[in-house]
PDB file of all heavy atoms in Angstrom:
ATOM      1  N   GLU A1429      39.632  -1.411  78.096  1.00 88.00           N
ATOM      2  CA  GLU A1429      40.942  -0.815  78.392  1.00 88.00           C
ATOM      3  C   GLU A1429      41.859  -0.824  77.178  1.00 88.00           C
ATOM      4  O   GLU A1429      43.045  -0.515  77.286  1.00 88.00           O
ATOM      5  CB  GLU A1429      41.634  -1.534  79.560  1.00 88.00           C
ATOM      6  CG  GLU A1429      40.793  -1.629  80.820  1.00 88.00           C
ATOM      7  CD  GLU A1429      40.455  -0.279  81.402  1.00 88.00           C
ATOM      8  OE1 GLU A1429      41.300   0.618  81.318  1.00 88.00           O
ATOM      9  OE2 GLU A1429      39.339  -0.128  81.935  1.00 88.00           O
ATOM     10  N   GLY A1430      41.299  -1.156  76.001  1.00 92.00           N
ATOM     11  CA  GLY A1430      42.089  -1.115  74.780  1.00 92.00           C
ATOM     12  C   GLY A1430      42.017   0.252  74.130  1.00 92.00           C
ATOM     13  O   GLY A1430      41.696   1.257  74.775  1.00 92.00           O
ATOM     14  N   ILE A1431      42.309   0.304  72.835  1.00 94.00           N
ATOM     15  CA  ILE A1431      42.276   1.579  72.135  1.00 94.00           C
ATOM     16  C   ILE A1431      41.397   1.487  70.893  1.00 94.00           C
ATOM     17  O   ILE A1431      41.241   0.430  70.287  1.00 94.00           O
ATOM     18  CB  ILE A1431      43.686   2.060  71.730  1.00 94.00           C
ATOM     19  CG1 ILE A1431      44.367   1.036  70.816  1.00 94.00           C
ATOM     20  CG2 ILE A1431      44.545   2.330  72.945  1.00 94.00           C
ATOM     21  CD1 ILE A1431      45.678   1.542  70.243  1.00 94.00           C
ATOM     22  N   CYS A1432      40.827   2.626  70.541  1.00 96.00           N
ATOM     23  CA  CYS A1432      39.988   2.759  69.353  1.00 96.00           C
ATOM     24  C   CYS A1432      40.617   3.837  68.475  1.00 96.00           C
ATOM     25  O   CYS A1432      40.801   4.970  68.925  1.00 96.00           O
ATOM     26  CB  CYS A1432      38.563   3.141  69.751  1.00 96.00           C
ATOM     27  SG  CYS A1432      37.499   3.645  68.367  1.00 96.00           S
ATOM     28  N   VAL A1433      40.950   3.464  67.236  1.00 95.00           N
ATOM     29  CA  VAL A1433      41.515   4.423  66.289  1.00 95.00           C
ATOM     30  C   VAL A1433      40.483   4.647  65.189  1.00 95.00           C
ATOM     31  O   VAL A1433      40.130   3.719  64.459  1.00 95.00           O
ATOM     32  CB  VAL A1433      42.833   3.914  65.681  1.00 95.00           C
ATOM     33  CG1 VAL A1433      43.396   4.944  64.707  1.00 95.00           C
ATOM     34  CG2 VAL A1433      43.842   3.599  66.766  1.00 95.00           C
ATOM     35  N   PHE A1434      39.990   5.861  65.072  1.00 96.00           N
ATOM     36  CA  PHE A1434      39.002   6.171  64.045  1.00 96.00           C
ATOM     37  C   PHE A1434      39.683   6.209  62.679  1.00 96.00           C
ATOM     38  O   PHE A1434      40.720   6.851  62.492  1.00 96.00           O
ATOM     39  CB  PHE A1434      38.320   7.502  64.346  1.00 96.00           C
ATOM     40  CG  PHE A1434      37.382   7.446  65.523  1.00 96.00           C
ATOM     41  CD1 PHE A1434      37.816   7.823  66.786  1.00 96.00           C
ATOM     42  CD2 PHE A1434      36.093   6.997  65.357  1.00 96.00           C
ATOM     43  CE1 PHE A1434      36.972   7.760  67.874  1.00 96.00           C
ATOM     44  CE2 PHE A1434      35.223   6.929  66.448  1.00 96.00           C
ATOM     45  CZ  PHE A1434      35.669   7.312  67.716  1.00 96.00           C
ATOM     46  N   GLN A1435      39.082   5.525  61.728  1.00 96.00           N
ATOM     47  CA  GLN A1435      39.641   5.435  60.386  1.00 96.00           C
ATOM     48  C   GLN A1435      39.045   6.466  59.441  1.00 96.00           C
ATOM     49  O   GLN A1435      39.713   6.917  58.509  1.00 96.00           O
ATOM     50  CB  GLN A1435      39.407   4.028  59.816  1.00 96.00           C
ATOM     51  CG  GLN A1435      39.929   2.900  60.710  1.00 96.00           C
ATOM     52  CD  GLN A1435      41.431   2.923  60.836  1.00 96.00           C
ATOM     53  OE1 GLN A1435      42.162   2.743  59.872  1.00 96.00           O
ATOM     54  NE2 GLN A1435      41.910   3.151  62.066  1.00 96.00           N
ATOM     55  N   THR A1436      37.790   6.821  59.653  1.00 95.00           N
ATOM     56  CA  THR A1436      37.118   7.813  58.816  1.00 95.00           C
ATOM     57  C   THR A1436      36.347   8.772  59.717  1.00 95.00           C
ATOM     58  O   THR A1436      36.249   8.572  60.923  1.00 95.00           O
ATOM     59  CB  THR A1436      36.147   7.143  57.822  1.00 95.00           C
ATOM     60  OG1 THR A1436      35.144   6.409  58.555  1.00 95.00           O
ATOM     61  CG2 THR A1436      36.876   6.190  56.892  1.00 95.00           C
ATOM     62  N   GLY A1437      35.775   9.789  59.106  1.00 93.00           N
ATOM     63  CA  GLY A1437      35.007  10.768  59.867  1.00 93.00           C
ATOM     64  C   GLY A1437      35.866  11.929  60.342  1.00 93.00           C
ATOM     65  O   GLY A1437      37.043  12.037  60.012  1.00 93.00           O
ATOM     66  N   ARG A1438      35.293  12.787  61.141  1.00 91.00           N
ATOM     67  CA  ARG A1438      35.983  13.993  61.599  1.00 91.00           C
ATOM     68  C   ARG A1438      37.129  13.658  62.549  1.00 91.00           C
ATOM     69  O   ARG A1438      38.057  14.451  62.705  1.00 91.00           O
ATOM     70  CB  ARG A1438      34.984  14.934  62.277  1.00 91.00           C
ATOM     71  CG  ARG A1438      33.878  15.409  61.341  1.00 91.00           C
ATOM     72  CD  ARG A1438      32.853  16.259  62.045  1.00 91.00           C
ATOM     73  NE  ARG A1438      33.427  17.529  62.486  1.00 91.00           N
ATOM     74  CZ  ARG A1438      32.732  18.452  63.160  1.00 91.00           C
ATOM     75  NH1 ARG A1438      31.458  18.228  63.456  1.00 91.00           N
ATOM     76  NH2 ARG A1438      33.312  19.574  63.531  1.00 91.00           N
ATOM     77  N   ASN A1439      37.058  12.495  63.204  1.00 92.00           N
ATOM     78  CA  ASN A1439      38.115  12.082  64.123  1.00 92.00           C
ATOM     79  C   ASN A1439      39.123  11.143  63.478  1.00 92.00           C
ATOM     80  O   ASN A1439      39.892  10.486  64.191  1.00 92.00           O
ATOM     81  CB  ASN A1439      37.507  11.397  65.350  1.00 92.00           C
ATOM     82  CG  ASN A1439      36.754  12.362  66.235  1.00 92.00           C
ATOM     83  OD1 ASN A1439      37.333  13.267  66.835  1.00 92.00           O
ATOM     84  ND2 ASN A1439      35.436  12.182  66.324  1.00 92.00           N
ATOM     85  N   ALA A1440      39.141  11.067  62.163  1.00 91.00           N
ATOM     86  CA  ALA A1440      40.034  10.130  61.467  1.00 91.00           C
ATOM     87  C   ALA A1440      41.475  10.314  61.927  1.00 91.00           C
ATOM     88  O   ALA A1440      42.001  11.426  61.966  1.00 91.00           O
ATOM     89  CB  ALA A1440      39.941  10.327  59.958  1.00 91.00           C
ATOM     90  N   GLY A1441      42.105   9.185  62.305  1.00 88.00           N
ATOM     91  CA  GLY A1441      43.490   9.210  62.766  1.00 88.00           C
ATOM     92  C   GLY A1441      43.645   9.415  64.259  1.00 88.00           C
ATOM     93  O   GLY A1441      44.751   9.264  64.789  1.00 88.00           O
ATOM     94  N   LYS A1442      42.560   9.723  64.964  1.00 90.00           N
ATOM     95  CA  LYS A1442      42.630   9.966  66.395  1.00 90.00           C
ATOM     96  C   LYS A1442      42.507   8.657  67.179  1.00 90.00           C
ATOM     97  O   LYS A1442      41.720   7.773  66.821  1.00 90.00           O
ATOM     98  CB  LYS A1442      41.535  10.928  66.847  1.00 90.00           C
ATOM     99  CG  LYS A1442      41.676  12.320  66.239  1.00 90.00           C
ATOM    100  CD  LYS A1442      43.004  12.938  66.596  1.00 90.00           C
ATOM    101  CE  LYS A1442      43.206  14.280  65.940  1.00 90.00           C
ATOM    102  NZ  LYS A1442      44.539  14.850  66.237  1.00 90.00           N
ATOM    103  N   THR A1443      43.302   8.555  68.233  1.00 92.00           N
ATOM    104  CA  THR A1443      43.305   7.373  69.087  1.00 92.00           C
ATOM    105  C   THR A1443      42.626   7.689  70.409  1.00 92.00           C
ATOM    106  O   THR A1443      42.975   8.688  71.063  1.00 92.00           O
ATOM    107  CB  THR A1443      44.747   6.899  69.353  1.00 92.00           C
ATOM    108  OG1 THR A1443      45.364   6.564  68.105  1.00 92.00           O
ATOM    109  CG2 THR A1443      44.764   5.678  70.267  1.00 92.00           C
ATOM    110  N   CYS A1444      41.680   6.863  70.806  1.00 93.00           N
ATOM    111  CA  CYS A1444      40.947   7.061  72.058  1.00 93.00           C
ATOM    112  C   CYS A1444      40.996   5.773  72.873  1.00 93.00           C
ATOM    113  O   CYS A1444      40.936   4.667  72.316  1.00 93.00           O
ATOM    114  CB  CYS A1444      39.492   7.440  71.792  1.00 93.00           C
ATOM    115  SG  CYS A1444      39.274   8.967  70.836  1.00 93.00           S
ATOM    116  N   GLU A1445      41.094   5.906  74.173  1.00 94.00           N
ATOM    117  CA  GLU A1445      41.089   4.745  75.055  1.00 94.00           C
ATOM    118  C   GLU A1445      39.662   4.269  75.296  1.00 94.00           C
ATOM    119  O   GLU A1445      38.753   5.086  75.482  1.00 94.00           O
ATOM    120  CB  GLU A1445      41.751   5.087  76.390  1.00 94.00           C
ATOM    121  CG  GLU A1445      43.230   5.391  76.289  1.00 94.00           C
ATOM    122  CD  GLU A1445      43.841   5.648  77.652  1.00 94.00           C
ATOM    123  OE1 GLU A1445      43.916   4.705  78.469  1.00 94.00           O
ATOM    124  OE2 GLU A1445      44.222   6.796  77.911  1.00 94.00           O
ATOM    125  N   ILE A1446      39.488   2.948  75.308  1.00 94.00           N
ATOM    126  CA  ILE A1446      38.173   2.357  75.534  1.00 94.00           C
ATOM    127  C   ILE A1446      37.979   2.121  77.022  1.00 94.00           C
ATOM    128  O   ILE A1446      38.841   1.548  77.686  1.00 94.00           O
ATOM    129  CB  ILE A1446      38.034   1.021  74.776  1.00 94.00           C
ATOM    130  CG1 ILE A1446      38.290   1.231  73.293  1.00 94.00           C
ATOM    131  CG2 ILE A1446      36.658   0.407  75.007  1.00 94.00           C
ATOM    132  CD1 ILE A1446      38.433  -0.067  72.509  1.00 94.00           C
ATOM    133  N   SER A1447      36.855   2.569  77.544  1.00 92.00           N
ATOM    134  CA  SER A1447      36.524   2.303  78.941  1.00 92.00           C
ATOM    135  C   SER A1447      35.897   0.912  79.062  1.00 92.00           C
ATOM    136  O   SER A1447      36.420   0.036  79.733  1.00 92.00           O
ATOM    137  CB  SER A1447      35.570   3.368  79.494  1.00 92.00           C
ATOM    138  OG  SER A1447      35.153   3.040  80.811  1.00 92.00           O
ATOM    139  N   HIS A1448      34.770   0.701  78.384  1.00 90.00           N
ATOM    140  CA  HIS A1448      34.135  -0.617  78.383  1.00 90.00           C
ATOM    141  C   HIS A1448      33.097  -0.668  77.267  1.00 90.00           C
ATOM    142  O   HIS A1448      32.722   0.360  76.691  1.00 90.00           O
ATOM    143  CB  HIS A1448      33.467  -0.903  79.740  1.00 90.00           C
ATOM    144  CG  HIS A1448      32.368   0.058  80.082  1.00 90.00           C
ATOM    145  ND1 HIS A1448      32.611   1.280  80.683  1.00 90.00           N
ATOM    146  CD2 HIS A1448      31.020  -0.014  79.891  1.00 90.00           C
ATOM    147  CE1 HIS A1448      31.471   1.912  80.871  1.00 90.00           C
ATOM    148  NE2 HIS A1448      30.497   1.156  80.399  1.00 90.00           N
ATOM    149  N   THR A1449      32.663  -1.883  76.948  1.00 88.00           N
ATOM    150  CA  THR A1449      31.610  -2.094  75.964  1.00 88.00           C
ATOM    151  C   THR A1449      30.528  -2.972  76.582  1.00 88.00           C
ATOM    152  O   THR A1449      30.804  -3.843  77.405  1.00 88.00           O
ATOM    153  CB  THR A1449      32.155  -2.775  74.700  1.00 88.00           C
ATOM    154  OG1 THR A1449      32.718  -4.044  75.062  1.00 88.00           O
ATOM    155  CG2 THR A1449      33.226  -1.906  74.049  1.00 88.00           C
ATOM    156  N   GLN A1450      29.298  -2.725  76.171  1.00 86.00           N
ATOM    157  CA  GLN A1450      28.182  -3.522  76.677  1.00 86.00           C
ATOM    158  C   GLN A1450      27.017  -3.415  75.702  1.00 86.00           C
ATOM    159  O   GLN A1450      26.614  -2.305  75.328  1.00 86.00           O
ATOM    160  CB  GLN A1450      27.741  -3.030  78.060  1.00 86.00           C
ATOM    161  CG  GLN A1450      26.653  -3.881  78.690  1.00 86.00           C
ATOM    162  CD  GLN A1450      26.290  -3.404  80.083  1.00 86.00           C
ATOM    163  OE1 GLN A1450      26.741  -2.350  80.535  1.00 86.00           O
ATOM    164  NE2 GLN A1450      25.476  -4.181  80.786  1.00 86.00           N
ATOM    165  N   ASP A1451      26.499  -4.552  75.277  1.00 82.00           N
ATOM    166  CA  ASP A1451      25.342  -4.587  74.378  1.00 82.00           C
ATOM    167  C   ASP A1451      25.573  -3.743  73.123  1.00 82.00           C
ATOM    168  O   ASP A1451      24.724  -2.952  72.711  1.00 82.00           O
ATOM    169  CB  ASP A1451      24.085  -4.107  75.103  1.00 82.00           C
ATOM    170  CG  ASP A1451      23.724  -5.005  76.269  1.00 82.00           C
ATOM    171  OD1 ASP A1451      24.039  -6.206  76.221  1.00 82.00           O
ATOM    172  OD2 ASP A1451      23.151  -4.493  77.248  1.00 82.00           O
ATOM    173  N   MET A1452      26.743  -3.898  72.526  1.00 91.00           N
ATOM    174  CA  MET A1452      27.099  -3.208  71.291  1.00 91.00           C
ATOM    175  C   MET A1452      27.155  -1.687  71.454  1.00 91.00           C
ATOM    176  O   MET A1452      27.016  -0.934  70.488  1.00 91.00           O
ATOM    177  CB  MET A1452      26.146  -3.590  70.154  1.00 91.00           C
ATOM    178  CG  MET A1452      26.182  -5.102  69.839  1.00 91.00           C
ATOM    179  SD  MET A1452      25.020  -5.609  68.559  1.00 91.00           S
ATOM    180  CE  MET A1452      25.801  -4.938  67.085  1.00 91.00           C
ATOM    181  N   VAL A1453      27.348  -1.243  72.685  1.00 94.00           N
ATOM    182  CA  VAL A1453      27.544   0.180  72.970  1.00 94.00           C
ATOM    183  C   VAL A1453      28.944   0.359  73.532  1.00 94.00           C
ATOM    184  O   VAL A1453      29.315  -0.300  74.501  1.00 94.00           O
ATOM    185  CB  VAL A1453      26.501   0.713  73.965  1.00 94.00           C
ATOM    186  CG1 VAL A1453      26.816   2.163  74.339  1.00 94.00           C
ATOM    187  CG2 VAL A1453      25.107   0.612  73.371  1.00 94.00           C
ATOM    188  N   MET A1454      29.733   1.217  72.914  1.00 94.00           N
ATOM    189  CA  MET A1454      31.103   1.441  73.340  1.00 94.00           C
ATOM    190  C   MET A1454      31.214   2.761  74.081  1.00 94.00           C
ATOM    191  O   MET A1454      30.655   3.774  73.655  1.00 94.00           O
ATOM    192  CB  MET A1454      32.041   1.427  72.139  1.00 94.00           C
ATOM    193  CG  MET A1454      33.518   1.571  72.505  1.00 94.00           C
ATOM    194  SD  MET A1454      34.586   1.462  71.046  1.00 94.00           S
ATOM    195  CE  MET A1454      34.166  -0.175  70.447  1.00 94.00           C
ATOM    196  N   THR A1455      31.939   2.740  75.196  1.00 95.00           N
ATOM    197  CA  THR A1455      32.166   3.941  75.991  1.00 95.00           C
ATOM    198  C   THR A1455      33.657   4.219  76.061  1.00 95.00           C
ATOM    199  O   THR A1455      34.440   3.330  76.407  1.00 95.00           O
ATOM    200  CB  THR A1455      31.598   3.782  77.414  1.00 95.00           C
ATOM    201  OG1 THR A1455      30.201   3.465  77.337  1.00 95.00           O
ATOM    202  CG2 THR A1455      31.786   5.065  78.212  1.00 95.00           C
ATOM    203  N   LEU A1456      34.037   5.425  75.727  1.00 95.00           N
ATOM    204  CA  LEU A1456      35.430   5.835  75.764  1.00 95.00           C
ATOM    205  C   LEU A1456      35.770   6.423  77.128  1.00 95.00           C
ATOM    206  O   LEU A1456      34.913   6.961  77.824  1.00 95.00           O
ATOM    207  CB  LEU A1456      35.719   6.882  74.679  1.00 95.00           C
ATOM    208  CG  LEU A1456      35.387   6.481  73.235  1.00 95.00           C
ATOM    209  CD1 LEU A1456      35.659   7.651  72.297  1.00 95.00           C
ATOM    210  CD2 LEU A1456      36.170   5.251  72.809  1.00 95.00           C
ATOM    211  N   LYS A1457      37.032   6.335  77.511  1.00 93.00           N
ATOM    212  CA  LYS A1457      37.463   6.916  78.789  1.00 93.00           C
ATOM    213  C   LYS A1457      37.339   8.431  78.766  1.00 93.00           C
ATOM    214  O   LYS A1457      36.934   9.047  79.748  1.00 93.00           O
ATOM    215  CB  LYS A1457      38.914   6.519  79.092  1.00 93.00           C
ATOM    216  CG  LYS A1457      39.077   5.115  79.636  1.00 93.00           C
ATOM    217  CD  LYS A1457      40.497   4.895  80.127  1.00 93.00           C
ATOM    218  CE  LYS A1457      40.632   3.522  80.767  1.00 93.00           C
ATOM    219  NZ  LYS A1457      41.999   3.284  81.295  1.00 93.00           N
ATOM    220  N   PHE A1458      37.708   9.008  77.639  1.00 91.00           N
ATOM    221  CA  PHE A1458      37.636  10.455  77.470  1.00 91.00           C
ATOM    222  C   PHE A1458      36.952  10.753  76.146  1.00 91.00           C
ATOM    223  O   PHE A1458      37.074   9.991  75.187  1.00 91.00           O
ATOM    224  CB  PHE A1458      39.029  11.088  77.502  1.00 91.00           C
ATOM    225  CG  PHE A1458      39.812  10.760  78.745  1.00 91.00           C
ATOM    226  CD1 PHE A1458      40.781   9.767  78.723  1.00 91.00           C
ATOM    227  CD2 PHE A1458      39.562  11.422  79.932  1.00 91.00           C
ATOM    228  CE1 PHE A1458      41.505   9.453  79.859  1.00 91.00           C
ATOM    229  CE2 PHE A1458      40.271  11.111  81.079  1.00 91.00           C
ATOM    230  CZ  PHE A1458      41.238  10.120  81.050  1.00 91.00           C
ATOM    231  N   ALA A1459      36.245  11.847  76.092  1.00 91.00           N
ATOM    232  CA  ALA A1459      35.503  12.206  74.895  1.00 91.00           C
ATOM    233  C   ALA A1459      36.436  12.382  73.703  1.00 91.00           C
ATOM    234  O   ALA A1459      37.561  12.873  73.842  1.00 91.00           O
ATOM    235  CB  ALA A1459      34.706  13.484  75.133  1.00 91.00           C
ATOM    236  N   ALA A1460      35.957  11.969  72.538  1.00 92.00           N
ATOM    237  CA  ALA A1460      36.716  12.180  71.302  1.00 92.00           C
ATOM    238  C   ALA A1460      36.836  13.675  71.038  1.00 92.00           C
ATOM    239  O   ALA A1460      35.974  14.462  71.457  1.00 92.00           O
ATOM    240  CB  ALA A1460      36.014  11.484  70.138  1.00 92.00           C
ATOM    241  N   PRO A1461      37.894  14.109  70.360  1.00 87.00           N
ATOM    242  CA  PRO A1461      38.087  15.542  70.122  1.00 87.00           C
ATOM    243  C   PRO A1461      36.932  16.199  69.391  1.00 87.00           C
ATOM    244  O   PRO A1461      36.563  17.333  69.700  1.00 87.00           O
ATOM    245  CB  PRO A1461      39.371  15.595  69.291  1.00 87.00           C
ATOM    246  CG  PRO A1461      40.080  14.321  69.573  1.00 87.00           C
ATOM    247  CD  PRO A1461      39.014  13.309  69.818  1.00 87.00           C
ATOM    248  N   LEU A1462      36.360  15.482  68.408  1.00 89.00           N
ATOM    249  CA  LEU A1462      35.300  16.038  67.579  1.00 89.00           C
ATOM    250  C   LEU A1462      34.085  15.109  67.606  1.00 89.00           C
ATOM    251  O   LEU A1462      34.192  13.949  68.009  1.00 89.00           O
ATOM    252  CB  LEU A1462      35.797  16.229  66.149  1.00 89.00           C
ATOM    253  CG  LEU A1462      36.997  17.183  65.995  1.00 89.00           C
ATOM    254  CD1 LEU A1462      37.550  17.126  64.584  1.00 89.00           C
ATOM    255  CD2 LEU A1462      36.623  18.593  66.381  1.00 89.00           C
ATOM    256  N   PRO A1463      32.914  15.602  67.201  1.00 92.00           N
ATOM    257  CA  PRO A1463      31.713  14.763  67.230  1.00 92.00           C
ATOM    258  C   PRO A1463      31.868  13.466  66.439  1.00 92.00           C
ATOM    259  O   PRO A1463      32.460  13.447  65.359  1.00 92.00           O
ATOM    260  CB  PRO A1463      30.644  15.668  66.610  1.00 92.00           C
ATOM    261  CG  PRO A1463      31.118  17.055  66.893  1.00 92.00           C
ATOM    262  CD  PRO A1463      32.610  16.998  66.796  1.00 92.00           C
ATOM    263  N   ILE A1464      31.342  12.385  66.996  1.00 95.00           N
ATOM    264  CA  ILE A1464      31.322  11.075  66.334  1.00 95.00           C
ATOM    265  C   ILE A1464      30.022  10.964  65.561  1.00 95.00           C
ATOM    266  O   ILE A1464      28.942  11.290  66.089  1.00 95.00           O
ATOM    267  CB  ILE A1464      31.439   9.941  67.363  1.00 95.00           C
ATOM    268  CG1 ILE A1464      32.739  10.093  68.161  1.00 95.00           C
ATOM    269  CG2 ILE A1464      31.386   8.579  66.697  1.00 95.00           C
ATOM    270  CD1 ILE A1464      32.838   9.161  69.345  1.00 95.00           C
ATOM    271  N   GLU A1465      30.083  10.495  64.322  1.00 94.00           N
ATOM    272  CA  GLU A1465      28.903  10.459  63.468  1.00 94.00           C
ATOM    273  C   GLU A1465      28.646   9.052  62.945  1.00 94.00           C
ATOM    274  O   GLU A1465      29.559   8.224  62.861  1.00 94.00           O
ATOM    275  CB  GLU A1465      29.079  11.444  62.301  1.00 94.00           C
ATOM    276  CG  GLU A1465      29.270  12.888  62.752  1.00 94.00           C
ATOM    277  CD  GLU A1465      29.603  13.816  61.598  1.00 94.00           C
ATOM    278  OE1 GLU A1465      30.012  13.291  60.539  1.00 94.00           O
ATOM    279  OE2 GLU A1465      29.462  15.040  61.748  1.00 94.00           O
ATOM    280  N   SER A1466      27.397   8.805  62.607  1.00 96.00           N
ATOM    281  CA  SER A1466      27.010   7.523  62.030  1.00 96.00           C
ATOM    282  C   SER A1466      27.793   7.268  60.747  1.00 96.00           C
ATOM    283  O   SER A1466      27.943   8.165  59.919  1.00 96.00           O
ATOM    284  CB  SER A1466      25.506   7.526  61.731  1.00 96.00           C
ATOM    285  OG  SER A1466      25.113   6.342  61.066  1.00 96.00           O
ATOM    286  N   GLY A1467      28.313   6.051  60.616  1.00 96.00           N
ATOM    287  CA  GLY A1467      29.093   5.691  59.439  1.00 96.00           C
ATOM    288  C   GLY A1467      30.585   5.788  59.653  1.00 96.00           C
ATOM    289  O   GLY A1467      31.357   5.295  58.817  1.00 96.00           O
ATOM    290  N   ASP A1468      31.023   6.404  60.751  1.00 96.00           N
ATOM    291  CA  ASP A1468      32.463   6.458  61.040  1.00 96.00           C
ATOM    292  C   ASP A1468      32.980   5.043  61.278  1.00 96.00           C
ATOM    293  O   ASP A1468      32.357   4.264  62.005  1.00 96.00           O
ATOM    294  CB  ASP A1468      32.736   7.304  62.287  1.00 96.00           C
ATOM    295  CG  ASP A1468      32.468   8.780  62.060  1.00 96.00           C
ATOM    296  OD1 ASP A1468      32.169   9.155  60.914  1.00 96.00           O
ATOM    297  OD2 ASP A1468      32.546   9.550  63.044  1.00 96.00           O
ATOM    298  N   THR A1469      34.083   4.703  60.689  1.00 97.00           N
ATOM    299  CA  THR A1469      34.682   3.384  60.897  1.00 97.00           C
ATOM    300  C   THR A1469      35.848   3.492  61.877  1.00 97.00           C
ATOM    301  O   THR A1469      36.445   4.561  62.041  1.00 97.00           O
ATOM    302  CB  THR A1469      35.181   2.784  59.570  1.00 97.00           C
ATOM    303  OG1 THR A1469      36.148   3.666  58.980  1.00 97.00           O
ATOM    304  CG2 THR A1469      34.024   2.581  58.612  1.00 97.00           C
ATOM    305  N   PHE A1470      36.165   2.367  62.515  1.00 97.00           N
ATOM    306  CA  PHE A1470      37.209   2.385  63.526  1.00 97.00           C
ATOM    307  C   PHE A1470      37.943   1.050  63.567  1.00 97.00           C
ATOM    308  O   PHE A1470      37.452   0.024  63.075  1.00 97.00           O
ATOM    309  CB  PHE A1470      36.615   2.682  64.912  1.00 97.00           C
ATOM    310  CG  PHE A1470      35.461   1.782  65.299  1.00 97.00           C
ATOM    311  CD1 PHE A1470      35.680   0.506  65.799  1.00 97.00           C
ATOM    312  CD2 PHE A1470      34.150   2.210  65.134  1.00 97.00           C
ATOM    313  CE1 PHE A1470      34.627  -0.316  66.146  1.00 97.00           C
ATOM    314  CE2 PHE A1470      33.079   1.386  65.479  1.00 97.00           C
ATOM    315  CZ  PHE A1470      33.320   0.119  65.991  1.00 97.00           C
ATOM    316  N   LEU A1471      39.120   1.081  64.167  1.00 96.00           N
ATOM    317  CA  LEU A1471      39.946  -0.105  64.375  1.00 96.00           C
ATOM    318  C   LEU A1471      40.182  -0.241  65.874  1.00 96.00           C
ATOM    319  O   LEU A1471      40.667   0.690  66.513  1.00 96.00           O
ATOM    320  CB  LEU A1471      41.279   0.016  63.642  1.00 96.00           C
ATOM    321  CG  LEU A1471      42.313  -1.095  63.901  1.00 96.00           C
ATOM    322  CD1 LEU A1471      41.824  -2.419  63.322  1.00 96.00           C
ATOM    323  CD2 LEU A1471      43.669  -0.719  63.301  1.00 96.00           C
ATOM    324  N   LEU A1472      39.843  -1.404  66.434  1.00 96.00           N
ATOM    325  CA  LEU A1472      40.003  -1.647  67.860  1.00 96.00           C
ATOM    326  C   LEU A1472      41.184  -2.574  68.114  1.00 96.00           C
ATOM    327  O   LEU A1472      41.430  -3.508  67.350  1.00 96.00           O
ATOM    328  CB  LEU A1472      38.736  -2.281  68.449  1.00 96.00           C
ATOM    329  CG  LEU A1472      37.418  -1.543  68.245  1.00 96.00           C
ATOM    330  CD1 LEU A1472      36.288  -2.303  68.945  1.00 96.00           C
ATOM    331  CD2 LEU A1472      37.499  -0.112  68.752  1.00 96.00           C
TER     332      LEU A1472
END
């Protein structure tokens, strides 16, 4: 129920709500505006 702010990648600067995490897999409440790619960094 927290927030994820993408720092790099196509979604850089975008804030997304976190639904839940499990086994190092993160699920957002709503899809990010643009595709998420390997290597994108984020701040939780």
Side-chain angles (χ1 to χ4, degrees):
E1429 306 297 325
I1431 59 172
C1432 169
V1433 180
F1434 289 95
Q1435 306 294 296
T1436 60
R1438 298 176 67 181
N1439 290 294
K1442 296 301 177 183
T1443 299
C1444 300
E1445 294 183 67
I1446 303 169
S1447 175
H1448 62 275
T1449 60
Q1450 184 177 8
D1451 298 331
M1452 299 177 73
V1453 175
M1454 184 177 300
T1455 303
L1456 304 177
K1457 281 190 176 182
F1458 304 100
L1462 300 171
I1464 301 171
E1465 300 173 342
S1466 175
D1468 291 355
T1469 59
F1470 52 81
L1471 173 67
L1472 305 182

